[in-house]
Every structure is written in C-alpha cells, then in structure tokens.
Amino acid sequence: QVQLLVSGGGSVQAGGSLRLSCAASGSGFGINTMGWYRQAPGEQRELVAIVISGGVTNYADSVKGRFTISRDNAKNTVYLQMNSLKPADTAVYYCNKVPAAWDWGQGTQVIVSS
C-alpha cells in the first residue's frame, strides 16, 4: 500500500507563493498519473492539477497559469508550485493517483488571506 506524505502548506497573503511536496512510499509511483486535489471548507474535493508519467500536465481552469505541477520519479515525489495565490485557493491540499485510489492521508492546509 502506498503512503503519501504532503508538506509545504501554510498561511500567505494574496499574491504570495507556496510550494507543496508529496512523497510517496511503496512501489508503483512512477507509472501512475499523479494529481493534486484540494478541499475547501464545505466543498467537495476537487482535482486541480495532474501530471502523467512522462511529464505532460493539465490543470483546472481555476489554477491554470498560476500553479505548476511536476514530478521526480527517482524521488517518488510530486510537487505543486503555487503562485499568485488567491483567497479562493484556501483549502486542504492532497495528492493521490488519478483516479484516486490510495489512502488520502492528512493533506496540508493552505490559507490565503486578502
């Protein structure tokens, strides 16, 4: 069973940046499409960015042009660089394969103040 450890969240002002990391233990990371998800208070969890094994990426419209997802298969790690953050980006952020199948873990809180 793969375990996911997410780090890098915090509190920033609007316009700021954060970089999230997700380290996966266990085998199979490199062959899977990975994604960053987020869940805002009272909302459903949503997928905001994906990266396939070869590095091709795709983004939700709400984050396109501001967020960048990347991966390092040698380190079993996926990253999310978040720039020009907005209060609407406030959420708990998780990573998982796409479609999600592993345990979610605790995620990391991102709070963006105006």
Side-chain angles (χ1 to χ4, degrees), residues 71-91:
R71 67 191 296 163
D72 185 337
N73 290 336
K75 296 182 179 180
N76 278 11
T77 301
V78 62
Y79 305 95
L80 187 68
Q81 177 67 44
M82 306 186 295
N83 299 328
S84 302
L85 282 161
K86 304 175 180 180
D89 297 318
T90 295

Side-chain angles (χ1 to χ4, degrees), residues 1-25:
Q1 177 69 9
V2 172
Q3 291 187 325
L4 302 166
L5 181 61
V6 180
S7 61
S11 296
V12 296
Q13 290 190 328
S17 298
L18 286 172
R19 188 187 194 217
L20 307 183
S21 299
C22 172
S25 64

